[in-house]
Amino acid sequence: MAKDRYELGLEMVGKVNGPGSRAIKDALAETAPDFYRWMIESSYGGLFARPGLGLREREIATIAALTAMGDVRPQLEAHIQGGLNVGLSREEIVEVIMQMAIYAGVPKALNALLSARDVFARQESAPSP
Protein backbone atom coordinates (compact mmCIF):
# COMPACT_ATOMS: atom_id res chain seq x y z
CA MET A 1 0.00 0.00 0.00
CA ALA A 2 1.38 3.42 -0.97
CA LYS A 3 2.15 5.93 1.76
CA ASP A 4 -0.06 8.98 1.95
CA ARG A 5 1.56 12.38 1.46
CA TYR A 6 1.68 13.10 5.18
CA GLU A 7 3.49 9.83 5.97
CA LEU A 8 5.87 10.39 3.06
CA GLY A 9 6.39 13.97 4.21
CA LEU A 10 7.25 12.86 7.74
CA GLU A 11 9.79 10.43 6.30
CA MET A 12 11.36 13.17 4.15
CA VAL A 13 11.42 15.80 6.91
CA GLY A 14 13.04 13.22 9.18
CA LYS A 15 15.84 12.73 6.64
CA VAL A 16 16.38 16.47 6.27
CA ASN A 17 15.73 17.85 9.75
CA GLY A 18 16.03 14.81 11.96
CA PRO A 19 14.78 15.38 15.49
CA GLY A 20 14.65 19.15 14.88
CA SER A 21 11.43 18.76 12.93
CA ARG A 22 9.58 17.96 16.16
CA ALA A 23 10.21 21.50 17.46
CA ILE A 24 8.12 23.03 14.68
CA LYS A 25 5.28 20.59 15.27
CA ASP A 26 5.33 21.35 18.99
CA ALA A 27 5.44 25.11 18.38
CA LEU A 28 2.34 24.93 16.19
CA ALA A 29 0.44 22.34 18.26
CA GLU A 30 -1.89 24.79 19.98
CA THR A 31 -2.04 27.58 17.42
CA ALA A 32 -2.18 25.86 14.03
CA PRO A 33 -1.74 22.07 14.01
CA ASP A 34 -3.44 21.88 10.60
CA PHE A 35 -0.78 24.20 9.18
CA TYR A 36 1.96 21.79 10.25
CA ARG A 37 0.17 18.89 8.57
CA TRP A 38 -0.38 20.91 5.39
CA MET A 39 3.27 22.02 5.35
CA ILE A 40 4.50 18.45 5.74
CA GLU A 41 2.11 17.10 3.10
CA SER A 42 2.81 19.77 0.50
CA SER A 43 6.45 20.69 1.06
CA TYR A 44 7.96 17.39 2.09
CA GLY A 45 5.40 14.82 0.94
CA GLY A 46 4.86 16.68 -2.33
CA LEU A 47 7.91 18.64 -3.46
CA PHE A 48 10.79 17.11 -1.50
CA ALA A 49 9.63 13.58 -2.41
CA ARG A 50 9.58 14.22 -6.16
CA PRO A 51 12.11 12.16 -8.15
CA GLY A 52 13.71 15.00 -10.19
CA LEU A 53 16.25 16.11 -7.56
CA GLY A 54 17.92 14.50 -4.61
CA LEU A 55 17.77 15.89 -1.08
CA ARG A 56 21.25 17.46 -1.43
CA GLU A 57 20.16 19.45 -4.48
CA ARG A 58 16.87 20.42 -2.89
CA GLU A 59 18.70 21.75 0.18
CA ILE A 60 21.09 23.73 -2.05
CA ALA A 61 18.10 25.35 -3.77
CA THR A 62 16.36 25.98 -0.45
CA ILE A 63 19.44 27.53 1.19
CA ALA A 64 19.90 29.76 -1.85
CA ALA A 65 16.24 30.87 -1.85
CA LEU A 66 16.16 31.55 1.88
CA THR A 67 19.42 33.50 1.63
CA ALA A 68 17.89 35.62 -1.13
CA MET A 69 14.78 36.26 0.97
CA GLY A 70 16.96 37.63 3.73
CA ASP A 71 14.50 37.79 6.63
CA VAL A 72 13.95 34.14 7.46
CA ARG A 73 16.83 33.29 9.79
CA PRO A 74 15.12 30.42 11.69
CA GLN A 75 14.15 28.67 8.46
CA LEU A 76 17.57 29.33 6.90
CA GLU A 77 19.34 27.86 9.92
CA ALA A 78 17.05 24.83 9.86
CA HIS A 79 17.88 24.22 6.21
CA ILE A 80 21.61 24.81 6.70
CA GLN A 81 21.42 22.06 9.34
CA GLY A 82 19.28 20.05 6.93
CA GLY A 83 21.94 20.46 4.26
CA LEU A 84 24.55 19.08 6.64
CA ASN A 85 22.18 16.22 7.50
CA VAL A 86 21.83 15.18 3.85
CA GLY A 87 25.54 15.33 3.06
CA LEU A 88 26.40 18.91 2.12
CA SER A 89 29.78 20.01 3.41
CA ARG A 90 30.29 23.28 5.23
CA GLU A 91 32.30 24.47 2.24
CA GLU A 92 29.43 23.73 -0.15
CA ILE A 93 26.98 25.60 2.05
CA VAL A 94 29.29 28.61 2.28
CA GLU A 95 29.75 28.61 -1.51
CA VAL A 96 25.98 28.50 -2.10
CA ILE A 97 25.52 31.48 0.20
CA MET A 98 28.43 33.40 -1.30
CA GLN A 99 26.96 32.84 -4.79
CA MET A 100 23.80 34.59 -3.62
CA ALA A 101 25.73 37.81 -2.90
CA ILE A 102 25.71 38.50 -6.65
CA TYR A 103 21.97 37.95 -7.05
CA ALA A 104 20.50 38.85 -3.66
CA GLY A 105 23.02 41.35 -2.34
CA VAL A 106 26.00 41.38 -0.02
CA PRO A 107 24.02 42.20 3.17
CA LYS A 108 21.75 39.17 2.70
CA ALA A 109 24.72 36.90 1.98
CA LEU A 110 26.58 38.29 5.00
CA ASN A 111 23.62 37.63 7.28
CA ALA A 112 23.27 34.11 5.87
CA LEU A 113 26.99 33.45 6.42
CA LEU A 114 26.57 34.53 10.05
CA SER A 115 23.66 32.10 10.34
CA ALA A 116 25.85 29.35 8.88
CA ARG A 117 28.58 30.20 11.38
CA ASP A 118 26.07 29.81 14.22
CA VAL A 119 24.78 26.47 12.90
CA PHE A 120 28.34 25.17 12.50
CA ALA A 121 29.20 26.29 16.05
CA ARG A 122 26.14 24.51 17.47
CA GLN A 123 27.12 21.38 15.57
CA GLU A 124 30.63 21.49 17.06
CA SER A 125 29.32 21.91 20.58
CA ALA A 126 26.65 19.20 20.30
CA PRO A 127 27.35 16.02 22.24
CA SER A 128 28.43 13.05 20.13
CA PRO A 129 25.82 10.31 19.67
Side-chain angles (χ1 to χ4, degrees):
M1 182 175 186
K3 293 179 185 172
D4 71 13
R5 285 177 63 162
Y6 183 68
E7 290 176 25
L8 183 57
L10 288 175
E11 182 180 313
M12 298 306 286
V13 78
K15 289 178 181 178
V16 173
N17 294 339
S21 61
R22 180 73 190 180
I24 295 169
K25 183 176 185 177
D26 292 347
L28 294 173
E30 287 184 34
T31 307
D34 291 343
F35 183 82
Y36 178 80
R37 183 177 184 90
W38 171 82
M39 182 180 66
I40 296 301
E41 287 173 344
S42 61
S43 298
Y44 290 94
L47 291 174
F48 270 68
R50 291 177 54 82
L53 294 174
L55 290 177
R56 290 180 88 257
E57 293 78 17
R58 291 190 188 281
E59 283 302 302
I60 287 170
T62 304
I63 291 166
L66 292 171
T67 296
M69 291 174 73
D71 59 351
V72 291
R73 185 176 179 128
Q75 293 80 16
L76 175 61
E77 289 187 4
H79 282 281
I80 290 170
Q81 182 61 58
L84 293 168
N85 292 346
V86 299
L88 292 176
S89 69
R90 291 178 176 198
E91 294 78 16
E92 289 171 316
I93 291 168
V94 167
E95 287 298 322
V96 167
I97 294 170
M98 288 176 60
Q99 180 74 17
M100 292 301 99
I102 296 168
Y103 300 100
V106 171
K108 289 179 180 178
L110 175 59
N111 289 338
L113 288 168
L114 295 174
S115 290
R117 176 204 61 194
D118 292 347
V119 172
F120 299 159
R122 283 194 298 272
Q123 185 186 41
E124 288 173 0
S125 66
S128 299

